[in-house]
Amino acid sequence: MSEDPSIPSSSSSQMSEDDDRSPPLDLIDGPIPSSKSRNCSGVSGSGVGTSVENTVPYPDQVLENVLENVLCFLTSRRDRSSASLVCKSWYRAEALTRSELFIGNCYAVSPRRATARFTRVRAVTIKGKPRFADFNLMPANWGAHLAPWVSSMAKAYPWLEKLCLKRMSVTDDDLALLAESFAGFKELVLVCCDGFGTSGLAVVVSKCRQLRVLDLTETEVMDDDVDWICCFPESQTFLESLMFDCVECHINFEALEKLVARSPSLKKLRLNRHVSIGQLYRLMVRAPQLTHLGTGSFNLSEGMAQGDQELDYVSAFAACKSLVCLSGFREILLDYIPAIYPVCSNLTSLNLSYANITAEQLKPVISQCHKLQSFWVLDSICDEGLKAVATTCKELRELRVFPVNAQEDAEGPVSEVGLEAISEGCRKLRSILYFCQRMTNAAVIAMSKNCSELVVFRLCIMGRRRPDHVTGEPMDEGFGAIVMNCKKLTRLAVSGLLTDRAFSYIGKYGKLVRTLSVAFAGDSDLGLKYVLEGCHKLQKLEIRDSPFGDTALCSGLHHYYNMRFLWMSSCSLTRQGCWAIARELPRLVVEVMKSNEGEEEGDNFDTLYMYRSLEGPRDDIPQFVEILRPGI
Amino acid sequence: MAMFAQDLEATELRLGLPGTNDSEQNTSSTTLVSKSNKRPLQSDMNENNDSSPANRSDEQISQPPPSKTQVVGWPPVRSYWKNCLQSKKTEAEAAGIYVKISMDGAPYLRKIDLKVYRGYPELLKALEDMFKFKVGDYCEKKLGYNNRSEFVPTYEDKDGDWMLLGDVPWEMFIVSCKRLRIMKGSEAKGLGCCTP
């Protein structure tokens, strides 16, 4: 979870595991070791004053103390997992010194078990729903409730400082309990969450007096008509980061201005689209120390005309000498783009993915962004805009190109031309997400050769099963080249017309691939079989609308316990096939569900979602989910 | 009569392309090839002609879907993000009718957009989900809700009167409703709660 400081990233990529090389947490299903009660203030080397419960006193107290001190420096999850497997005393020492807990699947382990093993945790990360839930492939109310976690942690970790959640269902009551229970609470990061409103935010900001980070990214917040900005304490705050660009409700600007004025440590501020450019100006002059800024609408407030009150926006930006990460532009008024010129040459991250601008409008900006490492943009800039990016942004590590028109048969402003240009100009590229309407194998092959550092390659050709538009061939060779040439690749998303051959390449060469997304691809069971048999590091596999059936599903039996989850929707599975897995692998929770709530009971189902778990079937399934449990 | 109906169909004004039929629209990705061979007009412009024959000749591909309907969740762009982009275009039409809603005993208010719902049944279901209660059945004859539930949904109209939800036709309701309140049954007796 540690962020690479050389690449400022948005909160959501903080939650991505693509840069963290550690494998899933291997929780040992052994007797829960008794935790010695000790002084909880930091790490103490002294073993004095311990009350041991049921354990036999071990011989080498000194060695264990040394071990604990050393283990504090171990931050990588994989390393800690390895350390815990050495022997029982290392297991105990590691458990006592783990201060950051990462739960990749909230249903893989229970709060009780996790808090019992790790007793001194200060920071927790929990991930809930599978990613395909973002695309309406799962009805609401599936689960991933924060409630049981908050109530367990309230008792086990009263000193908790940090909570990061991704795709969890969070209620106002959960937030209220959080605010009540953790006196020293400092950081709340919510990515792609939902279920609460501004009432919940109000409780958190008013009660968590030590709060320094409140980051909401792509999270839905209900409008309860509560003025949560007013609920911050009146005195100086410890706020370092306040990101609410996804909050759709109006906010009290005067209160926000005063808040910024009394938050001397504020470095990151992301405003929602209800903040006008005039208001942005007022905030910027109060906070020139900002490093990360989300500009809000970047437009005039309603009812105001240009020229009514021309503020010196250029100076405001020029004063922000530390600004490295710029985003927002939710309703951009193009005339104001030049205001950001003073900061362009310092930017390492620029997010224009809400700004529908052309290549000509982009060029004056991007031509100054020599240091840019992360760039998110709309395809409105066309291939020409991408060429401009390739010309200047030699340090680019991450590129995301989103579609203005997310439809299958829309015009495609970007194509293989843009992709190839990027691959020529941006040799240090590590991560790419590219939406387009047409693509060629040649361009993808070029990228595989030019960008050998690629860790994440996600290409979305929006027309389902669309072949190489020049040769008419499937896209097999392109994706094959990616897995062959990009030796560090851990995440792959495929699209376009793909035969089983593509999957044979992935199975053969994709030895480090951990996450794979497949949609409308493949010919037969062989495709899935290649992947399950070849990709030894595979942890997350999400497949939709592909002709893979029960035989293919069975070919992964040897591997499913090593995976975090498998999602298969609208494929060729049958109930019997899923039952076979459930019988063979008792530690797997096998959920079958329908895509629509309220559908009639019947034998067919739309989705298989299965994951390993130490707890067995969860007890909070909604009506549209069925868990296949042998013996019942 | 039948002949007359056929003539009518031929002269019918519709938004679809000539030759298309509502019943042939794809709603799911696994639907087999639909009968229409027409491609939506917009993609005819600037289209690289090489791609279309390749598309159509491959049997595996389902017919290019009509521009109106789309496959669920495809392309994989988060709907939250898509809405942000779309909302700018249609903000004029999308101006919702937001009303506050409170429930006796619940600590939090909510705001909802009445435009989102098509009628009382949908609205009531949403209220039940939001506040986790059951509303009971509205009995028109006796002008009230049977008190199988202790909660009664009411609203304040433009004149400041508190009315029972469902008393007036839906269209009249959404223009006259100022706010909603889910009252405890005992308080709502005056509004016409009927006993079973």
Side-chain angles (χ1 to χ4, degrees), chain A residues 134-135 172 199 218 223-225 246 330 354 406-407 409 462 464 469 520 544-545, chain B residues 29 43 48 65 70-75 78 80-81 88 100 108-111:
Chain A
D134 290 355
F135 313 124
D172 294 305
S199 323
E218 291 186 61
D223 187 354
D224 302 334
D225 229 21
C246 60
R330 296 279 172 139
Y354 289 93
Q407 285 179 308
D409 284 316
M462 288 189 274
R464 289 169 289 154
H469 81 96
F520 306 100
R544 64 166 294 183
D545 295 281
Chain B
S29 53
S43 66
N48 183 339
Q70 287 194 226
V71 172
V72 172
W74 188 263
R78 291 197 70 231
Y80 156 81
W81 180 86
K88 276 177 272 175
K100 283 191 222 184
Y108 309 115
L109 280 184
R110 296 270 181 240
K111 244 160 95 160

mmCIF file of all heavy atoms in Angstrom, chain A residues 134-135 172 199 218 223-225 246 330 354 406-407 409 462 464 469 520 544-545, chain B residues 29 43 48 65 70-75 78 80-81 88 100 108-111:
data_model
loop_
_atom_site.group_PDB
_atom_site.id
_atom_site.type_symbol
_atom_site.label_atom_id
_atom_site.label_comp_id
_atom_site.label_asym_id
_atom_site.label_seq_id
_atom_site.Cartn_x
_atom_site.Cartn_y
_atom_site.Cartn_z
ATOM 1 N N ASP A 134 -19.249 -2.223 -10.748
ATOM 2 C CA ASP A 134 -19.242 -0.824 -11.210
ATOM 3 C C ASP A 134 -20.027 -0.647 -12.493
ATOM 4 O O ASP A 134 -20.408 0.469 -12.843
ATOM 5 C CB ASP A 134 -17.809 -0.364 -11.528
ATOM 6 C CG ASP A 134 -16.947 -0.217 -10.303
ATOM 7 O OD1 ASP A 134 -17.464 -0.378 -9.183
ATOM 8 O OD2 ASP A 134 -15.751 0.049 -10.470
ATOM 9 N N PHE A 135 -20.200 -1.722 -13.236
ATOM 10 C CA PHE A 135 -20.814 -1.614 -14.558
ATOM 11 C C PHE A 135 -22.223 -2.187 -14.565
ATOM 12 O O PHE A 135 -22.676 -2.746 -15.564
ATOM 13 C CB PHE A 135 -19.931 -2.298 -15.600
ATOM 14 C CG PHE A 135 -18.477 -1.924 -15.477
ATOM 15 C CD1 PHE A 135 -17.511 -2.898 -15.310
ATOM 16 C CD2 PHE A 135 -18.078 -0.594 -15.484
ATOM 17 C CE1 PHE A 135 -16.173 -2.560 -15.166
ATOM 18 C CE2 PHE A 135 -16.750 -0.247 -15.339
ATOM 19 C CZ PHE A 135 -15.795 -1.233 -15.184
ATOM 20 N N ASP A 172 -24.528 5.808 7.168
ATOM 21 C CA ASP A 172 -24.293 6.922 8.083
ATOM 22 C C ASP A 172 -24.032 6.400 9.488
ATOM 23 O O ASP A 172 -23.208 6.947 10.221
ATOM 24 C CB ASP A 172 -25.500 7.862 8.074
ATOM 25 C CG ASP A 172 -25.668 8.552 6.740
ATOM 26 O OD1 ASP A 172 -24.711 9.195 6.289
ATOM 27 O OD2 ASP A 172 -26.751 8.440 6.137
ATOM 28 N N SER A 199 -24.937 13.492 5.988
ATOM 29 C CA SER A 199 -25.068 13.366 7.453
ATOM 30 C C SER A 199 -23.890 12.613 8.027
ATOM 31 O O SER A 199 -23.339 12.985 9.070
ATOM 32 C CB SER A 199 -26.320 12.586 7.841
ATOM 33 O OG SER A 199 -27.371 12.891 6.992
ATOM 34 N N GLU A 218 -14.755 8.966 -6.490
ATOM 35 C CA GLU A 218 -15.789 8.213 -7.214
ATOM 36 C C GLU A 218 -16.774 7.538 -6.266
ATOM 37 O O GLU A 218 -17.237 6.430 -6.506
ATOM 38 C CB GLU A 218 -15.143 7.167 -8.128
ATOM 39 C CG GLU A 218 -14.401 7.808 -9.288
ATOM 40 C CD GLU A 218 -13.890 6.787 -10.283
ATOM 41 O OE1 GLU A 218 -14.717 6.063 -10.856
ATOM 42 O OE2 GLU A 218 -12.661 6.725 -10.465
ATOM 43 N N ASP A 223 -27.502 13.374 -0.737
ATOM 44 C CA ASP A 223 -27.695 14.742 -0.269
ATOM 45 C C ASP A 223 -28.741 14.765 0.839
ATOM 46 O O ASP A 223 -29.930 14.658 0.577
ATOM 47 C CB ASP A 223 -28.148 15.596 -1.457
ATOM 48 C CG ASP A 223 -28.217 17.062 -1.105
ATOM 49 O OD1 ASP A 223 -28.034 17.412 0.084
ATOM 50 O OD2 ASP A 223 -28.449 17.870 -2.027
ATOM 51 N N ASP A 224 -28.279 14.879 2.053
ATOM 52 C CA ASP A 224 -29.214 14.912 3.175
ATOM 53 C C ASP A 224 -29.499 16.337 3.605
ATOM 54 O O ASP A 224 -30.069 16.558 4.670
ATOM 55 C CB ASP A 224 -28.608 14.178 4.390
ATOM 56 C CG ASP A 224 -28.265 12.757 4.062
ATOM 57 O OD1 ASP A 224 -28.897 12.194 3.149
ATOM 58 O OD2 ASP A 224 -27.367 12.195 4.713
ATOM 59 N N ASP A 225 -29.038 17.269 2.804
ATOM 60 C CA ASP A 225 -29.250 18.680 3.139
ATOM 61 C C ASP A 225 -28.535 19.077 4.423
ATOM 62 O O ASP A 225 -28.990 19.961 5.146
ATOM 63 C CB ASP A 225 -30.750 18.953 3.310
ATOM 64 C CG ASP A 225 -31.139 20.166 2.504
ATOM 65 O OD1 ASP A 225 -30.385 20.507 1.558
ATOM 66 O OD2 ASP A 225 -32.166 20.767 2.810
ATOM 67 N N CYS A 246 -16.190 14.229 -6.017
ATOM 68 C CA CYS A 246 -17.278 13.357 -6.481
ATOM 69 C C CYS A 246 -18.598 13.640 -5.769
ATOM 70 O O CYS A 246 -19.631 13.073 -6.131
ATOM 71 C CB CYS A 246 -16.908 11.900 -6.263
ATOM 72 S SG CYS A 246 -16.603 11.547 -4.529
ATOM 73 N N ARG A 330 -14.478 20.353 -14.420
ATOM 74 C CA ARG A 330 -15.705 19.594 -14.612
ATOM 75 C C ARG A 330 -16.614 20.213 -15.650
ATOM 76 O O ARG A 330 -17.430 19.533 -16.259
ATOM 77 C CB ARG A 330 -16.458 19.484 -13.283
ATOM 78 C CG ARG A 330 -15.710 18.703 -12.235
ATOM 79 C CD ARG A 330 -15.888 17.246 -12.456
ATOM 80 N NE ARG A 330 -15.066 16.445 -11.605
ATOM 81 C CZ ARG A 330 -15.474 15.332 -11.005
ATOM 82 N NH1 ARG A 330 -16.716 14.930 -11.156
ATOM 83 N NH2 ARG A 330 -14.656 14.635 -10.277
ATOM 84 N N TYR A 354 -12.591 15.142 -17.588
ATOM 85 C CA TYR A 354 -13.950 15.683 -17.606
ATOM 86 C C TYR A 354 -14.054 16.850 -18.581
ATOM 87 O O TYR A 354 -15.077 17.512 -18.645
ATOM 88 C CB TYR A 354 -14.354 16.162 -16.206
ATOM 89 C CG TYR A 354 -14.592 15.033 -15.246
ATOM 90 C CD1 TYR A 354 -13.577 14.561 -14.433
ATOM 91 C CD2 TYR A 354 -15.835 14.417 -15.169
ATOM 92 C CE1 TYR A 354 -13.793 13.501 -13.562
ATOM 93 C CE2 TYR A 354 -16.062 13.363 -14.296
ATOM 94 C CZ TYR A 354 -15.033 12.912 -13.504
ATOM 95 O OH TYR A 354 -15.233 11.868 -12.647
ATOM 96 N N ALA A 406 -19.526 6.831 -24.984
ATOM 97 C CA ALA A 406 -19.259 5.438 -24.634
ATOM 98 C C ALA A 406 -20.288 4.510 -25.249
ATOM 99 O O ALA A 406 -21.064 3.850 -24.574
ATOM 100 C CB ALA A 406 -19.246 5.282 -23.117
ATOM 101 N N GLN A 407 -20.279 4.454 -26.551
ATOM 102 C CA GLN A 407 -21.223 3.578 -27.245
ATOM 103 C C GLN A 407 -20.484 2.775 -28.291
ATOM 104 O O GLN A 407 -19.450 3.192 -28.793
ATOM 105 C CB GLN A 407 -22.298 4.405 -27.935
ATOM 106 C CG GLN A 407 -23.320 4.952 -26.963
ATOM 107 C CD GLN A 407 -24.347 5.784 -27.681
ATOM 108 O OE1 GLN A 407 -24.008 6.681 -28.419
ATOM 109 N NE2 GLN A 407 -25.600 5.456 -27.479
ATOM 110 N N ASP A 409 -21.173 1.952 -31.452
ATOM 111 C CA ASP A 409 -21.070 2.352 -32.855
ATOM 112 C C ASP A 409 -20.837 3.834 -33.025
ATOM 113 O O ASP A 409 -21.198 4.419 -34.029
ATOM 114 C CB ASP A 409 -22.345 1.926 -33.589
ATOM 115 C CG ASP A 409 -22.315 0.433 -33.847
ATOM 116 O OD1 ASP A 409 -21.257 -0.054 -34.269
ATOM 117 O OD2 ASP A 409 -23.331 -0.231 -33.615
ATOM 118 N N MET A 462 -14.258 -0.693 -28.232
ATOM 119 C CA MET A 462 -15.638 -0.652 -27.765
ATOM 120 C C MET A 462 -16.618 -1.487 -28.577
ATOM 121 O O MET A 462 -17.641 -1.922 -28.050
ATOM 122 C CB MET A 462 -16.104 0.799 -27.656
ATOM 123 C CG MET A 462 -15.437 1.507 -26.477
ATOM 124 S SD MET A 462 -16.114 3.128 -26.145
ATOM 125 C CE MET A 462 -15.160 4.103 -27.266
ATOM 126 N N ARG A 464 -17.907 -4.723 -29.793
ATOM 127 C CA ARG A 464 -17.658 -6.089 -29.348
ATOM 128 C C ARG A 464 -17.150 -6.955 -30.489
ATOM 129 O O ARG A 464 -17.651 -6.895 -31.592
ATOM 130 C CB ARG A 464 -18.941 -6.693 -28.794
ATOM 131 C CG ARG A 464 -19.367 -6.089 -27.465
ATOM 132 C CD ARG A 464 -20.770 -6.511 -27.091
ATOM 133 N NE ARG A 464 -21.771 -5.883 -27.950
ATOM 134 C CZ ARG A 464 -22.967 -6.391 -28.202
ATOM 135 N NH1 ARG A 464 -23.331 -7.548 -27.676
ATOM 136 N NH2 ARG A 464 -23.816 -5.755 -28.968
ATOM 137 N N HIS A 469 -8.836 -3.622 -37.842
ATOM 138 C CA HIS A 469 -9.678 -3.010 -38.891
ATOM 139 C C HIS A 469 -8.939 -2.844 -40.226
ATOM 140 O O HIS A 469 -9.545 -2.513 -41.227
ATOM 141 C CB HIS A 469 -10.266 -1.681 -38.408
ATOM 142 C CG HIS A 469 -9.340 -0.519 -38.512
ATOM 143 N ND1 HIS A 469 -9.364 0.352 -39.591
ATOM 144 C CD2 HIS A 469 -8.375 -0.064 -37.688
ATOM 145 C CE1 HIS A 469 -8.445 1.286 -39.414
ATOM 146 N NE2 HIS A 469 -7.835 1.067 -38.276
ATOM 147 N N PHE A 520 -16.511 -10.822 -24.105
ATOM 148 C CA PHE A 520 -16.893 -11.160 -25.485
ATOM 149 C C PHE A 520 -15.713 -11.718 -26.263
ATOM 150 O O PHE A 520 -15.387 -11.256 -27.352
ATOM 151 C CB PHE A 520 -17.424 -9.899 -26.196
ATOM 152 C CG PHE A 520 -18.530 -9.208 -25.454
ATOM 153 C CD1 PHE A 520 -18.277 -8.085 -24.696
ATOM 154 C CD2 PHE A 520 -19.839 -9.689 -25.514
ATOM 155 C CE1 PHE A 520 -19.299 -7.454 -23.997
ATOM 156 C CE2 PHE A 520 -20.869 -9.062 -24.825
ATOM 157 C CZ PHE A 520 -20.597 -7.941 -24.062
ATOM 158 N N ARG A 544 -16.811 -11.951 -18.821
ATOM 159 C CA ARG A 544 -18.227 -11.828 -19.154
ATOM 160 C C ARG A 544 -18.463 -12.203 -20.602
ATOM 161 O O ARG A 544 -17.608 -11.958 -21.457
ATOM 162 C CB ARG A 544 -18.736 -10.420 -18.854
ATOM 163 C CG ARG A 544 -18.101 -9.346 -19.691
ATOM 164 C CD ARG A 544 -18.861 -8.034 -19.594
ATOM 165 N NE ARG A 544 -20.190 -8.139 -20.184
ATOM 166 C CZ ARG A 544 -21.038 -7.127 -20.293
ATOM 167 N NH1 ARG A 544 -20.710 -5.940 -19.844
ATOM 168 N NH2 ARG A 544 -22.222 -7.297 -20.841
ATOM 169 N N ASP A 545 -19.635 -12.787 -20.846
ATOM 170 C CA ASP A 545 -20.096 -13.043 -22.200
ATOM 171 C C ASP A 545 -19.063 -13.728 -23.069
ATOM 172 O O ASP A 545 -18.781 -13.281 -24.188
ATOM 173 C CB ASP A 545 -20.510 -11.699 -22.841
ATOM 174 C CG ASP A 545 -21.698 -11.103 -22.112
ATOM 175 O OD1 ASP A 545 -22.822 -11.562 -22.373
ATOM 176 O OD2 ASP A 545 -21.487 -10.217 -21.250
ATOM 177 N N SER B 29 -26.536 -9.263 -24.523
ATOM 178 C CA SER B 29 -25.403 -9.560 -25.382
ATOM 179 C C SER B 29 -25.532 -10.939 -25.993
ATOM 180 O O SER B 29 -24.894 -11.260 -26.977
ATOM 181 C CB SER B 29 -24.136 -9.500 -24.545
ATOM 182 O OG SER B 29 -24.308 -10.338 -23.426
ATOM 183 N N SER B 43 -22.889 6.244 -37.604
ATOM 184 C CA SER B 43 -21.612 5.587 -37.831
ATOM 185 C C SER B 43 -21.306 5.442 -39.312
ATOM 186 O O SER B 43 -20.265 4.981 -39.704
ATOM 187 C CB SER B 43 -21.600 4.213 -37.178
ATOM 188 O OG SER B 43 -22.542 3.399 -37.838
ATOM 189 N N ASN B 48 -14.616 3.750 -41.776
ATOM 190 C CA ASN B 48 -13.669 3.064 -42.635
ATOM 191 C C ASN B 48 -14.373 1.867 -43.236
ATOM 192 O O ASN B 48 -14.753 0.937 -42.541
ATOM 193 C CB ASN B 48 -12.473 2.609 -41.788
ATOM 194 C CG ASN B 48 -11.418 1.957 -42.641
ATOM 195 O OD1 ASN B 48 -11.716 1.507 -43.749
ATOM 196 N ND2 ASN B 48 -10.211 1.904 -42.149
ATOM 197 N N PRO B 65 -25.586 -3.645 -32.848
ATOM 198 C CA PRO B 65 -26.862 -3.290 -32.220
ATOM 199 C C PRO B 65 -27.313 -1.913 -32.663
ATOM 200 O O PRO B 65 -26.485 -1.065 -32.973
ATOM 201 C CB PRO B 65 -26.540 -3.304 -30.732
ATOM 202 C CG PRO B 65 -25.071 -3.173 -30.643
ATOM 203 C CD PRO B 65 -24.488 -3.691 -31.912
ATOM 204 N N GLN B 70 -28.283 -0.607 -25.694
ATOM 205 C CA GLN B 70 -26.897 -0.994 -25.465
ATOM 206 C C GLN B 70 -26.851 -2.184 -24.547
ATOM 207 O O GLN B 70 -27.766 -2.425 -23.774
ATOM 208 C CB GLN B 70 -26.140 0.166 -24.839
ATOM 209 C CG GLN B 70 -25.873 1.258 -25.839
ATOM 210 C CD GLN B 70 -24.848 2.240 -25.308
ATOM 211 O OE1 GLN B 70 -25.052 3.417 -25.419
ATOM 212 N NE2 GLN B 70 -23.778 1.758 -24.739
ATOM 213 N N VAL B 71 -25.765 -2.883 -24.607
ATOM 214 C CA VAL B 71 -25.552 -4.016 -23.736
ATOM 215 C C VAL B 71 -25.263 -3.487 -22.332
ATOM 216 O O VAL B 71 -24.570 -2.486 -22.175
ATOM 217 C CB VAL B 71 -24.343 -4.818 -24.261
ATOM 218 C CG1 VAL B 71 -23.963 -5.890 -23.282
ATOM 219 C CG2 VAL B 71 -24.661 -5.378 -25.620
ATOM 220 N N VAL B 72 -25.798 -4.181 -21.330
ATOM 221 C CA VAL B 72 -25.564 -3.746 -19.957
ATOM 222 C C VAL B 72 -24.070 -3.741 -19.649
ATOM 223 O O VAL B 72 -23.366 -4.696 -19.932
ATOM 224 C CB VAL B 72 -26.301 -4.684 -18.976
ATOM 225 C CG1 VAL B 72 -25.912 -4.352 -17.544
ATOM 226 C CG2 VAL B 72 -27.795 -4.575 -19.163
ATOM 227 N N GLY B 73 -23.623 -2.658 -19.077
ATOM 228 C CA GLY B 73 -22.249 -2.620 -18.601
ATOM 229 C C GLY B 73 -21.182 -2.614 -19.683
ATOM 230 O O GLY B 73 -20.017 -2.879 -19.416
ATOM 231 N N TRP B 74 -21.552 -2.280 -20.895
ATOM 232 C CA TRP B 74 -20.548 -2.242 -21.954
ATOM 233 C C TRP B 74 -20.722 -0.983 -22.789
ATOM 234 O O TRP B 74 -21.835 -0.691 -23.176
ATOM 235 C CB TRP B 74 -20.659 -3.474 -22.858
ATOM 236 C CG TRP B 74 -19.521 -3.536 -23.825
ATOM 237 C CD1 TRP B 74 -19.519 -3.097 -25.122
ATOM 238 C CD2 TRP B 74 -18.183 -3.980 -23.546
ATOM 239 N NE1 TRP B 74 -18.269 -3.252 -25.672
ATOM 240 C CE2 TRP B 74 -17.429 -3.795 -24.715
ATOM 241 C CE3 TRP B 74 -17.559 -4.512 -22.427
ATOM 242 C CZ2 TRP B 74 -16.079 -4.127 -24.807
ATOM 243 C CZ3 TRP B 74 -16.223 -4.841 -22.522
ATOM 244 C CH2 TRP B 74 -15.497 -4.646 -23.700
ATOM 245 N N PRO B 75 -19.689 -0.249 -23.108
ATOM 246 C CA PRO B 75 -18.315 -0.446 -22.675
ATOM 247 C C PRO B 75 -18.155 -0.237 -21.167
ATOM 248 O O PRO B 75 -18.976 0.428 -20.542
ATOM 249 C CB PRO B 75 -17.535 0.637 -23.433
ATOM 250 C CG PRO B 75 -18.464 1.247 -24.394
ATOM 251 C CD PRO B 75 -19.840 0.918 -23.987
ATOM 252 N N ARG B 78 -17.502 3.427 -15.827
ATOM 253 C CA ARG B 78 -18.318 3.504 -14.630
ATOM 254 C C ARG B 78 -19.495 4.435 -14.851
ATOM 255 O O ARG B 78 -19.326 5.542 -15.318
ATOM 256 C CB ARG B 78 -17.483 3.996 -13.449
ATOM 257 C CG ARG B 78 -16.456 2.987 -13.006
ATOM 258 C CD ARG B 78 -15.928 3.306 -11.622
ATOM 259 N NE ARG B 78 -16.938 3.068 -10.615
ATOM 260 C CZ ARG B 78 -17.279 3.954 -9.694
ATOM 261 N NH1 ARG B 78 -16.708 5.114 -9.642
ATOM 262 N NH2 ARG B 78 -18.216 3.653 -8.816
ATOM 263 N N TYR B 80 -21.203 6.091 -12.884
ATOM 264 C CA TYR B 80 -21.048 7.351 -12.149
ATOM 265 C C TYR B 80 -20.353 8.361 -13.032
ATOM 266 O O TYR B 80 -20.783 9.493 -13.170
ATOM 267 C CB TYR B 80 -20.232 7.115 -10.883
ATOM 268 C CG TYR B 80 -19.550 8.369 -10.402
ATOM 269 C CD1 TYR B 80 -20.237 9.310 -9.668
ATOM 270 C CD2 TYR B 80 -18.221 8.647 -10.737
ATOM 271 C CE1 TYR B 80 -19.630 10.480 -9.258
ATOM 272 C CE2 TYR B 80 -17.622 9.814 -10.337
ATOM 273 C CZ TYR B 80 -18.321 10.731 -9.596
ATOM 274 O OH TYR B 80 -17.722 11.888 -9.206
ATOM 275 N N TRP B 81 -19.295 7.930 -13.669
ATOM 276 C CA TRP B 81 -18.495 8.842 -14.490
ATOM 277 C C TRP B 81 -19.248 9.245 -15.750
ATOM 278 O O TRP B 81 -19.252 10.377 -16.171
ATOM 279 C CB TRP B 81 -17.177 8.149 -14.848
ATOM 280 C CG TRP B 81 -16.289 8.971 -15.678
ATOM 281 C CD1 TRP B 81 -15.392 9.895 -15.260
ATOM 282 C CD2 TRP B 81 -16.226 8.979 -17.099
ATOM 283 N NE1 TRP B 81 -14.773 10.468 -16.328
ATOM 284 C CE2 TRP B 81 -15.255 9.923 -17.475
ATOM 285 C CE3 TRP B 81 -16.891 8.266 -18.088
ATOM 286 C CZ2 TRP B 81 -14.935 10.184 -18.799
ATOM 287 C CZ3 TRP B 81 -16.568 8.519 -19.402
ATOM 288 C CH2 TRP B 81 -15.599 9.476 -19.736
ATOM 289 N N LYS B 88 -24.047 17.121 -18.145
ATOM 290 C CA LYS B 88 -23.825 18.468 -18.655
ATOM 291 C C LYS B 88 -24.653 18.737 -19.894
ATOM 292 O O LYS B 88 -25.160 19.815 -20.089
ATOM 293 C CB LYS B 88 -22.338 18.661 -18.967
ATOM 294 C CG LYS B 88 -21.534 19.058 -17.749
ATOM 295 C CD LYS B 88 -20.086 19.159 -18.083
ATOM 296 C CE LYS B 88 -19.415 17.826 -17.923
ATOM 297 N NZ LYS B 88 -18.018 17.894 -18.371
ATOM 298 N N LYS B 100 -37.388 17.196 0.179
ATOM 299 C CA LYS B 100 -36.822 16.599 1.377
ATOM 300 C C LYS B 100 -37.774 15.540 1.873
ATOM 301 O O LYS B 100 -38.987 15.668 1.738
ATOM 302 C CB LYS B 100 -36.677 17.650 2.470
ATOM 303 C CG LYS B 100 -35.502 18.566 2.264
ATOM 304 C CD LYS B 100 -35.274 19.392 3.516
ATOM 305 C CE LYS B 100 -34.961 20.814 3.137
ATOM 306 N NZ LYS B 100 -34.629 21.645 4.273
ATOM 307 N N TYR B 108 -31.835 11.018 10.283
ATOM 308 C CA TYR B 108 -31.339 11.662 9.075
ATOM 309 C C TYR B 108 -32.441 11.979 8.089
ATOM 310 O O TYR B 108 -33.358 11.218 7.885
ATOM 311 C CB TYR B 108 -30.310 10.768 8.374
ATOM 312 C CG TYR B 108 -29.219 10.282 9.289
ATOM 313 C CD1 TYR B 108 -29.079 8.942 9.576
ATOM 314 C CD2 TYR B 108 -28.334 11.174 9.875
ATOM 315 C CE1 TYR B 108 -28.080 8.492 10.411
ATOM 316 C CE2 TYR B 108 -27.341 10.728 10.726
ATOM 317 C CZ TYR B 108 -27.213 9.399 10.977
ATOM 318 O OH TYR B 108 -26.226 8.955 11.812
ATOM 319 N N LEU B 109 -32.263 13.140 7.472
ATOM 320 C CA LEU B 109 -33.150 13.523 6.370
ATOM 321 C C LEU B 109 -32.577 12.992 5.081
ATOM 322 O O LEU B 109 -31.397 12.745 4.974
ATOM 323 C CB LEU B 109 -33.144 15.049 6.220
ATOM 324 C CG LEU B 109 -33.965 15.920 7.137
ATOM 325 C CD1 LEU B 109 -33.799 17.346 6.659
ATOM 326 C CD2 LEU B 109 -35.430 15.529 7.047
ATOM 327 N N ARG B 110 -33.412 12.924 4.077
ATOM 328 C CA ARG B 110 -32.901 12.597 2.750
ATOM 329 C C ARG B 110 -33.503 13.573 1.770
ATOM 330 O O ARG B 110 -34.479 14.247 2.065
ATOM 331 C CB ARG B 110 -33.314 11.177 2.341
ATOM 332 C CG ARG B 110 -32.758 10.094 3.185
ATOM 333 C CD ARG B 110 -31.441 9.625 2.628
ATOM 334 N NE ARG B 110 -30.913 8.537 3.443
ATOM 335 C CZ ARG B 110 -29.743 8.610 4.062
ATOM 336 N NH1 ARG B 110 -29.013 9.682 3.964
ATOM 337 N NH2 ARG B 110 -29.312 7.597 4.767
ATOM 338 N N LYS B 111 -32.902 13.599 0.596
ATOM 339 C CA LYS B 111 -33.513 14.374 -0.485
ATOM 340 C C LYS B 111 -33.684 13.420 -1.645
ATOM 341 O O LYS B 111 -32.781 12.661 -1.970
ATOM 342 C CB LYS B 111 -32.565 15.505 -0.898
ATOM 343 C CG LYS B 111 -33.153 16.884 -0.624
ATOM 344 C CD LYS B 111 -32.074 17.913 -0.576
ATOM 345 C CE LYS B 111 -31.839 18.626 -1.850
ATOM 346 N NZ LYS B 111 -31.135 19.892 -1.667
#
